């Protein structure tokens, strides 16, 4: 005896997406003898049938979980990766790429994996592909025909990823299941816009650093004022004022420096992900160790000395902790001054880049007008 589970249960997505993934088959086995007597209690059996699911995707990079669009320069290398899994096996993983006007017919297809030969297909696969934007082309179609050109500012590369499993039951007309994710978008921006965004970000950071510097100067003045009162003030007063200074050093200086360090790394990474590291001025890299020193070493050390000054019992250890705190605050201010000097270098660099761009655009205009004049 055999039970055809495919015929009874495995209708895939055609049978409805809301059907349960696990179903039950119950049957009873009853034995009947030659005399016609049967077993008093037939044996009950239960089969749990697990439905064949379509492939699943996880860990889509470089996109964040809620992100489907990124911006890149036309010379960037964009690494894509995704984890694909299936309950019984994966037979094909591919990418449909669209650089034309529509999303119906892909302009290119990249096959990342295709199972062939003996052996079971894998149930997991790590899909990896690098989009070399400099080698990709925009496809333009009009009444005259179709032409391809290099990607430029304003173009969009769209793509979706498809994975196919190994389900195929010919007698039931069941074909392999394919699941797709996307469309993902890579918006092309010019190098000039990358620099423009960098300038905007650094302008915001400059204002934050100026605010940090002014606040640290006030903290140093307050620490020096408290230092002069160590002999006369009561332990309770010193403790209260010292802990207030320590709290402000931690919350307003250390935390702010940590945030600025993250932002500066994002600014530097922008040149890396857009494959224009050669155009990144060295002073952007020089900013990182300065802000790291403030966030990780100098400012926490100042907060520690302020805490020692506030909680200390003997006068001399308190005075020494206050002196060290004032020295540390001066070092923080010095590092912030160095950061501001480097930001001024960036402003000068960006001004030169802007002027060079204006001259280049002017030269292009002159060349175009000259060609038109001679053509006439």
């Amino acid at each position: 005896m055999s039970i055809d589970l495919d015929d009874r249960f495995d209708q895939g997505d055609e049978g409805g997406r809301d059907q349960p993934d696990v179903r039950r088959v119950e049957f009873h086995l009853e034995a009947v003898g030659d005399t016609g007597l049967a077993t008093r209690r037939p044996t009950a059996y239960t089969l749990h049938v697990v439905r064949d699911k379509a492939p699943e995707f996880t860990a889509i990079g470089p996109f964040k979980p809620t992100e489907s669009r990124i911006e890149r320069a036309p010379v960037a290398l964009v690494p894509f990766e995704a984890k694909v899994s299936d309950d019984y096996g994966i037979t094909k993983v591919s990418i449909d790429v669209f650089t034309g006007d529509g999303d119906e017919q892909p302009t290119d297809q990249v096959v990342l994996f295709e199972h062939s030969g003996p052996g079971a297909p894998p149930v997991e696969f790590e899909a990896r592909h690098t989009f070399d934007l400099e080698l990709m082309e925009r496809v333009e179609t009009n009444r005259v025909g179709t032409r391809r050109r290099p990607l430029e500012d304003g173009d969009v590369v769209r793509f979706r990823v498809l994975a196919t499993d190994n389900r195929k039951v010919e007698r039931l007309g069941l074909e392999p299941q394919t699941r797709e994710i996307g469309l993902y978008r890579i918006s092309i921006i010019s190098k000039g816009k990358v620099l423009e965004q960098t300038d905007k970000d650094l302008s915001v950071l400059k204002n934050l650093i100026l605010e940090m510097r002014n606040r640290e100067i006030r903290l140093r003045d307050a620490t020096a004022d408290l230092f002069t009162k160590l002999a006369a003030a009561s332990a309770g007063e010193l403790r209260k004022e010292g802990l207030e200074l320590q709290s402000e050093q931690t919350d307003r200086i250390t935390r702010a420096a940590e945030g600025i360090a993250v932002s500066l790394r994002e600014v530097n990474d922008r040149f890396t992900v857009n494959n224009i590291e050669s155009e990144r001025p060295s002073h952007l890299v020089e900013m990182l160790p300065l802000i790291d020193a403030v966030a990780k070493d100098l400012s926490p050390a100042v907060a520690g000395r302020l805490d020692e000054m506030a909680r200390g019992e003997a006068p001399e250890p308190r005075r020494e902790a206050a002196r060290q705190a004032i020295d540390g605050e001066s070092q923080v201010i010095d590092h912030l001054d160095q950061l501001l000097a480097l930001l001024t270098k960036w402003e000068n660099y960006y001004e030169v880049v802007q002027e060079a761009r204006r001259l280049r655009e002017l030269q292009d205009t002159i060349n175009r007008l000259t060609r038109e004049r001679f053509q006439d």
Side-chain angles (χ1 to χ4, degrees):
M1 182 189 75
S2 64
I3 300 175
D4 193 338
L5 297 179
D6 282 330
D7 185 46
R8 291 173 178 267
F9 294 97
D10 193 356
Q11 298 301 317
D13 289 341
E14 295 86 353
R17 291 183 179 274
D18 295 331
Q19 298 182 26
D21 292 330
V22 178
R23 309 182 197 184
R24 297 174 58 189
V25 178
E26 294 185 359
F27 63 93
H28 299 268
L29 183 63
E30 182 180 36
V32 180
D34 293 338
T35 61
L37 296 176
T39 53
R40 181 176 298 180
R41 294 182 181 179
T43 304
Y45 295 90
T46 301
L47 297 178
H48 291 273
V49 183
V50 180
R51 177 183 169 190
D52 186 1
K53 298 181 181 179
E56 297 182 349
F57 292 89
T58 56
I60 312 299
F63 298 90
K64 297 176 182 178
T66 59
E67 183 182 57
S68 62
R69 174 183 172 275
I70 56 176
E71 293 182 342
R72 292 294 185 268
V75 296
L77 299 172
V78 183
F80 171 80
E81 59 183 27
K83 292 184 178 180
V84 189
S85 61
D86 186 72
D87 44 4
Y88 292 107
I90 303 161
T91 58
K92 185 177 181 180
V93 180
S94 61
I95 299 177
D96 285 348
V97 183
F98 304 84
T99 58
D101 295 324
D103 295 333
E104 297 179 1
Q105 188 65 30
T107 51
D108 294 289
Q109 185 179 70
V110 181
V111 177
L112 303 179
F113 168 76
E114 192 162 18
H115 178 72
S116 61
V123 295
E124 292 184 346
F125 178 74
E126 291 192 6
R128 298 178 185 273
H129 178 69
T130 298
F131 293 93
D132 189 340
L133 299 183
E134 195 168 15
L135 299 180
M136 299 180 70
E137 296 175 315
R138 168 82 161 98
V139 178
E140 296 179 334
T141 304
N142 51 37
R143 295 179 181 177
V144 178
T146 300
R147 77 181 186 99
R148 291 175 173 259
R149 61 163 175 79
L151 297 174
E152 59 186 33
D153 184 48
D155 290 337
V156 180
V157 175
R158 305 175 305 284
F159 69 94
R160 66 187 176 206
V161 188
L162 303 94
T164 304
D165 68 6
N166 68 335
R167 187 192 73 170
K168 188 172 181 65
V169 185
E170 294 182 359
R171 58 191 173 82
L172 298 178
L174 295 178
E175 295 294 326
Q177 303 174 101
T178 297
R179 175 162 291 171
E180 65 179 56
I181 55 169
L183 291 167
Y184 293 102
R185 290 170 170 81
I186 305 173
S187 297
I188 308 302
I189 58 173
S190 64
K191 296 179 185 179
K193 286 186 177 179
V194 174
L195 295 177
E196 182 180 343
Q197 185 59 52
T198 300
D199 185 62
K200 291 179 180 179
D201 292 344
L202 291 179
S203 178
V204 172
L205 293 181
K206 181 178 181 180
N207 290 333
L208 292 176
I209 293 171
L210 280 169
E211 182 181 343
M212 278 181 59
R213 180 183 182 277
N214 293 334
R215 189 179 299 277
E216 191 65 81
I217 290 175
R218 292 195 295 271
L219 283 170
R220 184 178 63 180
D221 292 343
T223 305
D225 182 61
L226 191 59
F227 178 79
T228 61
K229 298 190 300 184
L230 285 176
S234 66
E237 292 174 334
L238 292 175
R239 180 183 180 87
K240 179 177 180 297
E241 293 186 38
L243 290 179
E244 287 176 352
L245 293 176
Q246 184 265 345
S247 177
E248 188 167 0
Q249 182 72 39
T250 299
D251 296 340
R252 299 301 183 88
I253 304 299
T254 304
R255 299 292 175 262
E258 290 171 349
I260 290 173
V262 171
S263 297
L264 277 176
R265 278 183 169 77
E266 291 175 352
V267 167
N268 276 275
D269 289 345
R270 185 176 296 142
F271 288 84
T272 301
V273 299
N274 284 290
N275 200 26
I276 54 174
E277 291 181 285
S278 60
E279 300 189 27
R280 175 176 54 192
S282 60
H283 43 266
L284 284 186
V285 182
E286 294 170 9
M287 295 179 190
L288 293 174
L290 289 171
I291 195 65
D292 279 344
V294 173
K296 298 177 181 179
D297 300 319
L298 297 177
S299 185
V302 169
R305 301 295 82 75
L306 291 171
D307 185 74
E308 292 174 7
M309 179 186 69
R311 300 177 188 276
E313 298 294 336
E316 188 52 38
R318 278 184 164 180
R319 292 176 63 85
E320 181 59 28
R323 278 193 291 265
Q324 292 181 12
I326 293 171
D327 290 341
E329 288 161 341
S330 296
Q331 291 181 55
V332 170
I333 294 168
D334 178 68
H335 277 61
L336 297 179
D337 284 337
Q338 292 182 59
L339 279 168
L340 291 171
L342 291 173
L343 284 168
T344 300
K345 284 186 177 182
W346 161 261
E347 292 171 346
N348 294 336
Y349 166 81
Y350 185 64
E351 185 177 347
V352 171
V353 170
Q354 290 289 83
E355 186 61 31
R357 185 188 304 169
R358 285 191 289 268
L359 290 174
R360 184 170 59 251
E361 291 173 352
L362 177 60
Q363 186 62 58
D364 290 342
T365 302
I366 293 173
N367 293 342
R368 178 177 56 81
L369 294 174
T370 301
R371 286 194 300 270
E372 292 175 355
R373 183 184 181 98
F374 279 100
Q375 288 173 356
D376 294 339

